[in-house]
């Protein structure tokens, strides 16, 4: 019988693993990525490096990722660095380097495509693959009825390692929902294959929040209703779940708990928008921190222009975003008279958006966004920088 085999590949502690390629002396040590430029390692006179430690950190940043040694102390992605410092003060802290992560992301995806061309790109460190019709995917190997598809996954792991020096974990199941769960079960370097018969023994004992699509609010409500594990969710009366969560989400909860998911892979997806943003180490003010903010703003616009040009897009709208010191978010957007993709044009229109925001409060995040994208090669000619109405537009900071 022909089986559908959908695989989810997740890079192991991706950002941290990329840093370990650069700093191999940190292997086996607890380390987090999430610092700023001031946490760059310092080269000593004897050729060794001096690394920042969490115990010396002061600020409100969060960990982007952590090595498995750091996770043993309870340090994980998304945790505040001050809280992480209390749990593991001797943990090494490194700055974020998204250029390096994107480079390795392109490398591992290209390596996978050589073996499994049907790919859904889900982000910088994860993809779905359709292995169903690959040669050997339906074959048994010895006593293993699914040995053929396991062998394909192993070849993909080896290809990723050869191309990047990095490891990954792969979940193989009949659908995307189960494969996302499976890839996380035996990290790092795991290959986990599940079929429908494995759902009661492997999937149902897991916390309900592990299902991709059950967020913090839904998880808290399920917990309040006495449903903590996927098996308890599977046993719940479907009509009762609909009463609690609504028609669409309630029905989906039942299907998800039973491992039912017929979503196809989306192998081609046009971006609708691209954005760049950064969270500051401390809250900044438009007047008191004008020079620092101006430099950050220009850098964001330049990076966004680089992203557009590298991906082959032009934009018809430009926006700006701020998160204030009370965590409220402000956004403004401008529709442009012509498509553009250049840094001066992005900066000019993003500055107009900023000028429409109240700037009397300190803020902790600044971002720029390009929307209503079109392929540059679909236009007669890409847009160019707009003419300034009265000379160079001056930012409010």
């Amino acid at each position: 019988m022909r089986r559908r085999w959908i695989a989810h590949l997740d890079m192991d502690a991706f950002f941290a693993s990329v840093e370990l390629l650069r700093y191999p002396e940190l292997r086996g040590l607890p380390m987090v990525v999430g610092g700023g430029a001031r946490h760059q390692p310092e080269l000593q006179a004897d050729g060794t490096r001096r690394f920042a430690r969490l115990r010396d950190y002061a600020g409100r940043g969060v960990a982007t990722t952590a090595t498995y040694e750091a996770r043993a102390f309870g340090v994980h992605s998304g945790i505040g660095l001050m809280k992480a410092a209390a749990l593991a003060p001797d943990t090494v802290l490194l700055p974020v380097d998204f250029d390096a992560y994107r480079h390795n992301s392109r490398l591992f995806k290209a390596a996978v495509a050589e073996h499994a061309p049907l790919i859904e790109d889900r982000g910088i460190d994860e993809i779905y693959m359709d292995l169903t019709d690959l040669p050997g995917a339906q074959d048994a190997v010895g006593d293993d009825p699914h040995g053929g598809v396991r062998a394909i996954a192993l070849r993909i792991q080896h290809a990723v390692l050869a191309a990047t020096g990095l490891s990954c974990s792969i979940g193989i199941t009949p659908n995307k929902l189960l494969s996302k769960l499976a890839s996380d079960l035996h990290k790092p370097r795991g290959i986990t294959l599940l079929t429908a018969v494995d759902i009661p023994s492997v999937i149902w004992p897991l916390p309900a929040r592990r299902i991709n699509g059950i967020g913090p609010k839904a998880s808290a409500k399920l917990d309040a209703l006495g449903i903590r594990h996927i098996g308890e969710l599977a046993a719940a009366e479907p009509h009762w779940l609909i009463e609690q969560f609504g028609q669409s989400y309630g029905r989906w909860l039942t299907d998800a708990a039973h491992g039912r998911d017929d979503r196809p892979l989306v192998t081609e997806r046009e971006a609708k928008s691209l954005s760049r943003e950064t969270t500051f180490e401390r809250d900044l003010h438009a007047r008191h921190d004008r020079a620092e903010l101006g430099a950050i703003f220009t850098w964001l616009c330049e990076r966004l222009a680089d992203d557009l040009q590298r991906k082959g897009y032009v934009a018809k709208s430009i926006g700006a975003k701020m998160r204030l010191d009370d965590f409220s978010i402000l956004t403004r957007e401008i529709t442009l008279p012509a498509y553009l993709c250049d840094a001066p044009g992005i900066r000019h229109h993003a500055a107009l958006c900023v000028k429409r925001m109240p700037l009397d409060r300190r803020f902790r995040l600044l971002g720029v966004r390009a929307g209503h994208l079109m392929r540059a090669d679909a236009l007669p000619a890409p847009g160019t920088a707009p003419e300034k109405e009265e000379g160079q537009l001056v930012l409010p900071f």
Side-chain angles (χ1 to χ4, degrees), residues 222-352:
L222 286 169
D223 192 69
L225 294 169
I227 296 177
R228 295 173 177 83
H229 296 91
I230 298 175
E232 294 168 334
L233 184 59
E237 171 60 40
H239 291 296
W240 178 76
L241 287 173
I242 289 173
E243 290 175 358
Q244 300 297 323
F245 292 93
Q247 184 79 19
S248 177
Y249 194 67
R251 183 182 291 112
W252 176 83
L253 286 172
T254 297
D255 287 340
H258 287 276
R260 296 192 287 263
D261 176 24
D262 58 2
R263 291 174 298 160
L265 260 64
V266 181
T267 56
E268 294 184 7
R269 176 179 291 144
E270 290 290 348
K272 296 180 179 180
S273 66
L274 293 173
S275 62
R276 283 280 188 155
E277 62 184 41
T278 187
T279 301
F280 314 132
E281 295 290 330
R282 60 181 180 87
D283 293 342
L284 301 180
H285 192 278
R287 184 173 67 254
H288 305 308
D289 304 291
R290 182 172 179 172
E292 184 176 358
L293 282 167
I296 293 171
F297 187 78
T298 298
W299 181 84
L300 288 171
C301 293
E302 290 173 346
R303 297 286 74 74
L304 181 57
D306 289 344
D307 293 341
L308 286 168
Q309 293 165 21
R310 176 167 48 82
K311 295 177 181 293
Y313 288 112
V314 289
K316 196 66 161 58
S317 68
I318 297 295
K321 172 183 175 181
M322 288 183 182
R323 179 176 290 129
L324 303 181
D325 52 5
D326 62 355
F327 286 85
S328 60
I329 294 176
L330 299 176
T331 60
R332 298 291 187 272
E333 187 170 15
I334 291 177
T335 299
L336 309 178
Y339 285 93
L340 59 78
C341 62
D342 61 290
I346 292 171
R347 191 182 191 280
H348 175 80
H349 288 98
L352 293 176

Side-chain angles (χ1 to χ4, degrees), residues 33 42 50 52 64 66 159 173-174 190 254 260 280 299 342 392 394-395:
V33 176
E42 298 176 6
R50 180 180 179 275
T64 303
T173 79
T254 297
R260 296 192 287 263
F280 314 132
W299 181 84
D342 61 290
Q392 179 66 39
V394 178
L395 274 172

Side-chain angles (χ1 to χ4, degrees), residues 40 59 144 213 259 265 362 380 385 391 397:
Q40 193 72 33
D144 183 357
L265 260 64
R362 290 186 175 272
F397 44 73

Side-chain angles (χ1 to χ4, degrees), residues 172-222:
I172 311 165
T173 79
N175 60 55
K176 291 161 68 172
L177 183 142
L178 288 174
S179 293
K180 175 80 170 177
L181 284 166
S183 66
D184 197 44
L185 292 180
H186 297 104
K187 278 185 163 287
R189 304 177 188 88
I191 294 178
T192 305
L193 187 147
L194 302 176
T195 65
V197 298
D198 299 308
I199 291 174
S201 61
V202 179
I203 299 300
W204 285 356
L206 299 175
R209 65 178 180 275
R210 293 280 291 274
I211 294 177
N212 188 34
I214 296 182
K217 290 184 178 179
S219 179
K221 184 172 182 178
L222 286 169

Side-chain angles (χ1 to χ4, degrees), residues 35-73:
R38 61 192 174 93
H39 302 109
Q40 193 72 33
E42 298 176 6
L43 188 63
Q44 306 296 298
D46 61 359
T48 62
R49 297 182 180 91
R50 180 180 179 275
F51 295 95
R53 304 281 174 168
L54 278 180
R55 63 171 173 266
D56 300 318
Y57 180 82
R60 291 190 297 185
V62 298
T64 303
T65 192
T67 59
Y68 292 99
E69 291 80 7
R71 296 180 191 190
F73 292 98

Side-chain angles (χ1 to χ4, degrees), residues 5-9 127-131 170-173 175 179:
W5 290 124
I6 301 299
H8 180 257
L9 183 152
I127 57 176
Y128 288 104
M129 306 168 286
D130 191 336
L131 310 182
I170 300 176
I172 311 165
T173 79
N175 60 55
S179 293

